[in-house]
Amino acid sequence: MGGLPGMLLTLAETGSQNLVVCGGHNLTHAMAAMRHFILRSDMGVGVKELRDGDAAAAFSDENIRVTPVHIYPTGYTVSAHEQGADESDAAAIRRMLLERAFGVHKAPEPTDRKKREPPQPQQKKGYYGQECKEAAIEQVLQKFEQQDEDRTKKRSLSPGHSPKRSSDVFLPLATPTPCALCYIVEGPEVPGKFDSQAARDLGLKPGPQFAQLVRGQTITTADGQTIRPEQCVGPARPSSLVIIIDCPSPAYIDSLTTAHQFVPFLEGTKTAGPQKDQLMMIVHSLGPGVAQDARYKKWAARFPAHVRHMVSAPEYVPDNNPFQRHLRIHAAMHAISPHTYILPQATDKAELPLHTFLDSKNLVAPKSMMMYDIEPEPKLDESMVTQLLTAEQMLAKVDDVTPPSPHPNDGDDLVVCPIGTGSSVPSTYRNVSSNIVSVKGFGGIVLDCGESTVSQLKRFLGFPRRNYANTRIQQSYTEFLKTLKLLYVSHMHADHHLGAIQLLHEWNQATQMMDPKPRLSVLAPARFWAWLEDFSGVQDLGLDRLDFISCSDIRLIDPTAKIPIKENQKYRTAVTKLKSDLGLVDILTCGVIHCPWAYGLSLTHYTGWKLVYSGDTRPCANLVTLGRAGDKPPTVLLHEATLPDYLHVDAVAKRHSTVSEAVAMALGMGAENLLLTHFSQRCLDLPRWTTANIEAVKVARYGYVASASTSVGSSVDDVEDSATELDVDDDDIDAGAGVDFGHVNDLETYGQDVAEQTDAPNAALNAVLGDLKIASAFDMSAYAPRDIKKYRYNTHRLKQVLHDEMKLFIAEESADTVEPSQLKKGKQKAKAKKGKDSA
């Protein structure tokens, strides 16, 4: 799936409308499947499937024409339903569901020359702006879950039934196709050059008459002479051509090299024509083993000698890290705590020299931000290309490096590794939510899986070889996949699950040849499983080896009772297997305050540790109860802290927690360690909390949670007399929306100046925190309880790293350059002129 859903969501937020998405077979099915978590009915997205055998399978507008070339693996027989345009009833249902999710696409009016109004961001509808007492959350969750289960049982297959929600209709079954698409790209015809001297010789003067001739218009002079454009304008010529090759594996080579669409471009063929002179560039996007295959090299050598070859193959392109700002800050943190902030794997050396691909002077290795101009003169543009440093090179630029000390893992029964620690959308410094846990002797856990999680994991763990800078999880990415036991998704917001499709696809590929074939438990809201079932018609995710457990089936209802598994042997078996796979004695969820089907999670291991993960939530009693359930408080609470305290009003509006609220939640459940994550992308600083703000946090049943001493004996279903249920119509449910069940805390304390810093706690704050240890998570890091305990001793240096990075960022964005040596001078000046540092 890649980044398509995230890109569409971003475009929707900017107000973009009437887009067309082009692609191969099953694209409409894939887009319609997104209705489970995307509802942007004002966007108007159209889909054009470039199907094999369809004469209209091409994209063209006034700027470009793209012709697809379909290739298949050897031995694959193209079925009848893959040929030609799809006009079946099933296709009609898919288009209907697509329109319900993205709106009706309206073709642009080419004659409309009016100035277009700037796009307006689309307003999310649903629960924002509505109020509900927090004590009613369980009632509302039960209502939503029952509705979802009912829909799952009776979703319609007929578009004529017009159900209230697009999720009420099943997508017709689809079959994944291995088809890969290559493209022939051609620009518009290039007008001939205007000969101004010839125009003057005909008695014309520069001005409107010249412009008319350039536009192809015939003009009549004052003396009655008719002048045609061809008298002053040279002949038009065809645009240059670019071919883009996508060959995933050597199995596709025979189909590619025999494709008739490429024959006119090859030397030594009877059908070779003028098109081969138009061809200027071939982009070879190749899977492992293709570039070194003799069949492919022989075919590539048959293109004309003047053609440039951009070879994007793993053997020829170094695995550089293009996210240099993130790497810069990560290297500086690694210098402070090498075992916590893991250097991501990267290299600046290719496996093979480029000349081993072809004997040609026109070979190009692609680089990040490289561009190729087709017209008016074909040329490579590397003006935006910057030098990419490796992690080791970036670390060498850091002045104050702490030597790595022995850090044995024998004492770390629990290591939590935040892979993405940002909220909403990826940014320069933080990717969206994902965390992994490696349970020693058992296997791995993934807690939420936002987009690009797989890319982050490959750099964190190492791919294809292990990342030896990672001393905490001594497995490569592939080894981690083979021992993965649980994928958990806390709720259906895109920033928490868009990476799951790629993760499951690669897990399926990595394990399908193992004997016996392993199974994977998936714990998520019921709607996530519906999304997986729909998308499995596009890509093989190994659904037959997934054991799905709905979060509602192990939700904590009565904290004095055992796990409330439904009286269903399927769920009982799945949960029992999951506990056995990971050595767990308890696994529980609870409903939290964020959006429908949002959950917190608790895992208790037989060795004694307990991990609680909040997902996205406002402070709520259910999560406190979950943390207190059982005989042991949480060893680690992984809690969202999206916004700083001074943005408390925003936190209430968006159903998130502030930093001090997360601290209060940890105190309320008696957690030993708190790891803060899911930070707003607008904040690049260490989180801060204050005594007053912590003590102001109040939730149902527990009151002021930081000092709560209420027993855990009351049922989570107990509802205060003043609570009122929120009545929300299904049509108002939006994937980006949430229900406010939250108690609005006293806002007066949030106007106070933040005077109590994490690196300089005062006596009052110490008294409130007690033995609680707190750390702030960063991407691709690792925290055992002892790392969280040590965190406070590094806060001063970490704070300086972030401060320096902000200064560099501002300087770079201002087209200025600041070297570390200049930065040192700046610090000295700042000390000399205290209070005048404008950064």
Side-chain angles (χ1 to χ4, degrees), residues 596-641:
W597 315 289
Y599 298 90
L601 174 69
S602 171
L603 304 172
T604 305
H605 199 258
Y606 86 94
T607 57
W609 58 259
K610 179 177 178 180
L611 172 65
V612 175
Y613 176 44
S614 70
D616 286 6
T617 183
R618 291 286 299 140
C620 68
N622 280 1
L623 193 62
V624 175
T625 303
L626 184 70
R628 291 184 173 195
D631 300 328
K632 180 175 176 56
T635 308
V636 174
L637 168 61
L638 180 61
H639 200 290
E640 72 125 292

Side-chain angles (χ1 to χ4, degrees), residues 498-515:
L498 276 190
I501 292 293
Q502 185 68 14
L503 183 78
L504 290 173
H505 173 67
E506 297 200 5
W507 169 83
N508 184 42
Q509 289 186 318
T511 60
Q512 61 185 352
M513 300 305 293
M514 295 173 64
D515 187 19

